[in-house]
Amino acid sequence: MKFTCLSKGGGFHFPPCHMLSVSGFRILLDCPLDLSSLAIFSPVPIALEAHESLDTDSVVRKKQKIEKTLDANDLVFAEPWYKTVKSLHLWDASFIDVILISSPMGMLGLPFLTRTKDFSAKIYVTEAAARIGQLMMEDLVSMHMELRQFYGPEDSAFLQWMRWEGLEVLPSELKKIILGTDCEELGAWMPLYSAVDVKDCMRKVQTLKYAEEACYNGTLVIKAFSSGLEIGTCNWTINGPKRNIAYISSSIFVSTHAMDFNFLGLQGNDLIIFSDFSTLDTTENMENDNTYCDPVTSSNASDDLYNLEEIAASLLKDDESMEEMEKLAFICTCAFDSVRASGSVLVPIDRLGIVLCLLEQMSLLLESSSLKVPIYIISSVAEELLAFTNIIPEWLCKQRQEKLFSGEPLFAHVKLIKERKIHVFPAVHSVELLTNWQEPCVVFCPHWSLRLGPVVHLLRYWCSDPNSLLILESGDDANLALLPFKPMAMKVLQCSFLSGISLQKVQPLLKALQPKLLLFPKDLRCKIQISEANTIIHYSENETLCMPSSKESTEIDIATDLASQFHWKTLKQETVTRLDGELFMDQGKHRLLSGFRQADSKQHRPLLHWGSPDLKRLLTELSKMGITGTLKKIMDSAESKNAAGIIDIDDPEKALIDVRETGTVIITADENLASHIFKAMDIVLDGI
């Protein structure tokens, strides 16, 4: 088995990506896009008139400004390209056998692979994640086409910014995003796929329910288990002939909307790949805030929690989800203060679960006041996405499922849309929106990068209003994201949301799963000490690790009629038997079934012999067949215990049988004579 971490990702919107080779198959784990890199491009034309071509004078001027504070004119003025996983373009897509997608964000880069020549991999994703991911890709294409109208069709100057002379004059901050720290990431940039590419990609996807088995090529049994991060997100188990593997992506034990993290479904696997880097992001933020505590060791998790039920109870405490709800309540309070001051609120958050919960809480807060403030949702896929979230109870948490049995809608937006307290529109320029528009208001719209979609127009419209509020998700460079809209009088609230397993729960989780081998990020090694696995291997980006199989032998299921034919013989220290049948690989297991036998006596001859032949007995058997010869015994220093000898055959043809301790050699030019000698050997030697 081989494992390569292609990318550790960058938070919720850019999950990690790995390549795994097991049982002769190459498996890609997630295929995301780094949409935070869109920050290098200028959105709708803020300084297009002032944009300078790359003539000599402008190059000199930009070189003089290169180390100064960034301003809007330093951004790239071109139709955006999109950054894929930096090392993925170096792999031949036709050699990938299986792709496992853990979240809707993890499938945004799939069309880049599926549109390549000779792509034939099987793509597995949960039903809910597939639908949400498809809508996200379609919305991305729609927003990109709108932005493209401002830059016009492609021409010879389109890739001017990617030429070396263009990169040389860019500020170092932008150059680092484009090229990476070692200047190896330029090849990861690609023009966006089309709507046709998205449809073609979805035709190649096989959807699964939670815990549903999918068998690939009769060898690998693949299952998805809920991770709790979002609706439809999952962790994977891969069971093969030589190893059982569990892949843990970013997970949340108790969710306010999605089905909880089913970590018990990951038990019984000898290898765990831990790929939740959110704990690293959390600790880095804690260090920046001077609130970071000492690394977690085995003593931080109670040593008394060896009982699985106690461990599960400690992991499934809803303290984190309660803290998340309090955070959402604080956001709603800040939004209420803004609209009460006659300002509007702009929410470009793309986390589906967070948006749905914010809609509920914000609507209740506004309804309890005397303010009549409309809530707008603007997106090309908003109507379809909101309708989808109300027909998927099996993918939601227990509290949401209980609403179904009580006759209530799964989410409050259904009722609020009917009461016209929430208004859904496909575009910011739609006639219906312009007709119903009123301020102050609350607007939910894409995109969180602040480079695409309705947020660009609305942010340009409200950025000078000190009473208005922009709610951003922390983690990305807010200064670079807001650069095109400065100077800004608008208030900005940055919020961080739960994105994975908290640092304190990693140790109890691994104690509950008890893997024999753990693959753990090297970047987290100094943050937490793991002592529950028999063996721990730390991995880092672009490093290939080779691991031996955990099973020394292969198990095989044998048909009952064949098992009744066992005739055991002892070979050295092993007992062996011979069976005639057909070998199959099915559901990751070897199976031996009865096959059709040919009426040929050769099929019943021993296929394996062992031991040294008794020369006198061999000579007797040959004479019975009409073969005459003489026995010549020899002895040398290397053969002091076991006698060796030569049988010299002179009739019916010349032949020689040379028996030594290390082996027996039969020499003859006559095929018929050789066949008779072999039959005599069958009689003298043990065989199966």
Side-chain angles (χ1 to χ4, degrees):
M1 172 185 159
K2 293 183 179 181
F3 175 81
T4 306
C5 175
L6 301 181
S7 168
K8 65 181 181 181
F12 175 87
H13 296 101
F14 185 37
C17 178
H18 310 283
M19 190 70 75
L20 178 68
S21 296
V22 58
S23 297
F25 302 110
R26 185 170 291 170
I27 303 172
L28 177 66
L29 299 166
D30 287 315
C31 186
L33 282 181
D34 183 9
L35 294 178
S36 65
S37 299
L38 289 174
I40 69 168
F41 296 97
S42 171
V44 205
I46 18 181
L48 274 180
E49 294 181 358
H51 178 51
E52 300 169 336
S53 60
L54 289 173
D55 54 26
T56 306
D57 294 335
S58 66
V59 168
V60 172
R61 287 195 295 272
K62 286 194 172 186
K63 281 186 176 180
Q64 293 173 349
K65 296 179 359 178
I66 198 166
E67 297 304 330
K68 293 183 180 179
T69 304
L70 285 175
D71 60 41
N73 290 323
D74 292 319
L75 298 176
V76 176
F77 288 79
E79 178 183 345
W81 276 31
Y82 294 78
K83 193 176 183 181
T84 61
V85 175
K86 61 183 180 182
S87 302
L88 187 56
H89 67 283
L90 302 176
W91 295 72
D92 191 338
S94 63
F95 291 161
I96 300 174
D97 300 295
V98 179
I99 300 178
L100 303 181
I101 301 298
S102 305
S103 67
M105 296 72 64
M107 66 185 298
L108 295 184
L110 265 184
F112 288 120
L113 289 180
T114 56
R115 71 182 184 182
T116 58
K117 184 180 179 182
D118 298 328
F119 176 86
S120 60
K122 195 75 172 181
I123 305 170
Y124 296 102
V125 60
T126 65
E127 292 177 357
R131 186 63 186 135
I132 295 171
Q134 180 182 4
L135 292 174
M136 291 177 66
M137 290 188 287
E138 290 174 352
D139 197 30
L140 185 62
V141 171
S142 175
M143 291 185 292
H144 179 87
M145 293 305 295
E146 179 187 358
L147 180 61
R148 187 177 178 184
Q149 295 175 6
F150 293 97
Y151 292 105
E154 300 180 12
D155 54 29
S156 58
F158 176 63
L159 294 181
Q160 188 76 20
W161 66 275
M162 291 191 72
R163 297 175 182 172
W164 188 250
E165 58 268 24
L167 295 173
E168 276 292 300
V169 299
L170 286 176
S172 56
E173 187 174 343
L174 301 186
K175 193 185 300 184
K176 183 178 179 181
I177 296 175
I178 297 173
L179 298 176
T181 53
D182 299 322
C183 299
E184 80 284 8
E185 299 181 18
L186 188 61
W189 291 88
M190 297 184 184
L192 187 64
Y193 41 75
S194 65
V196 175
D197 293 328
V198 174
K199 290 182 179 179
D200 181 62
C201 171
M202 297 310 298
R203 292 192 197 102
K204 300 175 181 178
V205 167
Q206 178 174 335
T207 59
L208 300 173
K209 299 182 184 298
Y210 284 145
E212 178 185 356
E213 285 190 357
C215 187
Y216 178 77
N217 201 37
T219 306
L220 303 178
V221 178
I222 298 169
K223 289 184 186 179
F225 294 92
S226 60
S227 67
L229 181 66
E230 261 295 352
I231 298 173
T233 59
C234 69
N235 297 311
W236 294 97
T237 61
I238 307 167
N239 295 337
K242 292 291 187 180
R243 190 181 289 279
N244 296 333
I245 303 167
Y247 174 71
I248 300 180
S249 61
S250 297
S251 306
I252 297 176
F253 286 95
V254 180
S255 173
T256 57
H257 54 282
M259 185 175 288
D260 295 342
F261 178 16
N262 182 10
F263 62 93
L264 295 178
L266 306 180
Q267 287 184 308
N269 295 284
D270 48 78
L271 168 64
I272 286 182
I273 302 172
F274 190 91
S275 181
D276 189 341
F277 286 86
S278 61
T279 49
L280 178 64
D281 299 332
T282 301
T283 52
E284 285 177 349
N285 292 335
M286 293 169 68
E287 286 175 330
N288 293 335
D289 295 339
N290 296 321
T291 58
Y292 177 60
C293 58
D294 292 334
V296 177
T297 63
S298 58
S299 59
N300 292 99
S302 175
D303 293 332
D304 297 328
L305 294 180
Y306 285 105
N307 184 282
L308 181 59
E309 294 181 359
E310 293 180 358
I311 296 176
S314 69
L315 292 174
L316 295 175
K317 287 182 180 179
D318 59 354
D319 49 350
E320 291 177 342
S321 61
M322 293 296 294
E323 183 180 343
E324 201 80 350
M325 295 304 293
E326 292 174 0
K327 193 178 300 181
L328 296 180
F330 174 74
I331 295 173
C332 292
T333 302
C334 295
F336 179 76
D337 293 340
S338 291
V339 297
R340 190 168 54 182
S342 299
S344 294
V345 180
L346 184 57
V347 189
I349 295 176
D350 281 7
R351 294 200 191 202
L352 180 58
I354 296 296
V355 169
L356 294 175
C357 293
L358 270 177
L359 283 172
E360 291 180 338
Q361 293 204 26
M362 204 167 287
S363 300
L364 289 174
L365 183 60
L366 293 174
E367 190 175 356
S368 63
S369 69
S370 57
L371 295 175
K372 302 298 180 183
V373 179
I375 298 178
Y376 299 113
I377 302 177
I378 308 173
S379 169
S380 62
V381 297
E383 185 175 358
E384 191 173 357
L385 187 57
L386 292 174
F388 177 72
T389 57
N390 210 49
I391 58 172
I392 51 172
E394 69 272 24
W395 302 93
L396 304 180
C397 60
K398 291 181 180 179
Q399 294 83 355
R400 299 285 175 181
Q401 292 179 359
E402 290 173 356
K403 291 188 175 185
L404 177 70
F405 300 109
S406 62
E408 300 178 47
L410 299 175
F411 293 96
H413 63 262
V414 176
K415 179 182 176 183
L416 296 171
I417 291 174
K418 288 181 179 179
E419 295 175 350
R420 300 191 63 78
K421 295 178 181 178
I422 292 179
H423 309 271
V424 182
F425 300 100
V428 73
H429 51 74
S430 62
V431 176
E432 294 82 1
L433 175 60
L434 297 176
T435 303
N436 290 278
W437 184 262
Q438 103 180 47
E439 297 182 41
C441 60
V442 179
V443 179
F444 290 81
C445 64
H447 187 267
W448 57 269
S449 67
L450 307 186
R451 293 297 182 267
L452 302 168
V455 67
V456 175
H457 308 290
L458 295 172
L459 195 51
R460 291 280 292 166
Y461 177 52
W462 284 325
C463 65
S464 58
D465 182 6
N467 295 321
S468 293
L469 174 67
L470 172 65
I471 300 175
L472 286 179
E473 184 173 353
S474 60
D476 297 317
D477 188 345
N479 181 59
L480 183 58
L482 295 171
L483 192 61
F485 310 100
K486 290 183 177 180
M488 281 190 63
M490 188 179 190
K491 296 190 291 289
V492 178
L493 174 63
Q494 281 191 278
C495 310
S496 61
F497 302 103
L498 200 59
S499 298
I501 304 172
S502 62
L503 195 65
Q504 292 75 16
K505 290 191 175 183
V506 174
Q507 181 79 354
L509 171 63
L510 296 175
K511 185 180 293 186
L513 299 182
Q514 295 182 344
K516 295 178 182 177
L517 178 62
L518 173 66
L519 283 179
F520 200 74
K522 188 176 292 184
D523 293 339
L524 290 177
R525 181 168 52 182
C526 61
K527 307 296 180 183
I528 181 170
Q529 297 177 10
I530 307 298
S531 60
E532 301 308 314
N534 292 339
T535 306
I536 305 171
I537 300 178
H538 294 94
Y539 67 86
S540 56
E541 280 188 338
N542 296 321
E543 178 185 5
T544 299
L545 302 175
C546 297
M547 284 149 288
S549 299
S550 61
K551 300 177 183 178
E552 296 181 356
S553 59
T554 301
E555 296 180 358
I556 183 170
D557 292 341
I558 301 176
T560 306
D561 57 339
L562 288 178
S564 63
Q565 302 174 17
F566 285 172
H567 298 288
W568 296 102
K569 291 189 177 182
T570 302
L571 173 60
K572 294 184 178 180
Q573 297 179 351
E574 302 289 340
T575 53
V576 295
T577 187
R578 174 181 173 183
L579 292 175
D580 291 329
E582 295 185 33
L583 184 64
F584 293 90
M585 176 70 81
D586 180 44
Q587 298 292 312
K589 294 182 179 179
H590 290 91
R591 303 182 189 275
L592 186 64
L593 306 178
S594 300
F596 295 102
R597 295 183 180 178
Q598 299 179 3
D600 186 353
S601 60
K602 293 181 180 179
Q603 296 294 324
H604 303 288
R605 286 182 176 177
L607 302 178
L608 176 67
H609 298 86
W610 62 91
S612 297
D614 185 325
L615 295 180
K616 292 182 179 179
R617 186 182 172 194
L618 178 59
L619 195 59
T620 302
E621 294 297 333
L622 289 174
S623 64
K624 292 179 181 179
M625 299 178 184
I627 301 172
T628 60
T630 28
L631 173 60
K632 300 177 181 178
K633 288 190 176 182
I634 61 174
M635 180 73 70
D636 56 35
S637 58
E639 298 169 341
S640 56
K641 293 184 179 180
N642 298 319
I646 296 176
I647 296 179
D648 190 2
I649 298 173
D650 51 21
D651 187 56
E653 297 290 342
K654 289 288 186 180
L656 185 70
I657 304 175
D658 188 355
V659 178
R660 304 283 175 134
E661 185 180 10
T662 56
T664 300
V665 179
I666 301 172
I667 304 173
T668 179
D670 189 281
E671 293 184 4
N672 187 47
L673 178 58
S675 177
H676 282 83
I677 295 174
F678 183 76
K679 289 179 181 179
M681 284 288 188
D682 279 349
I683 299 171
V684 173
L685 293 175
D686 290 328
I688 58 170

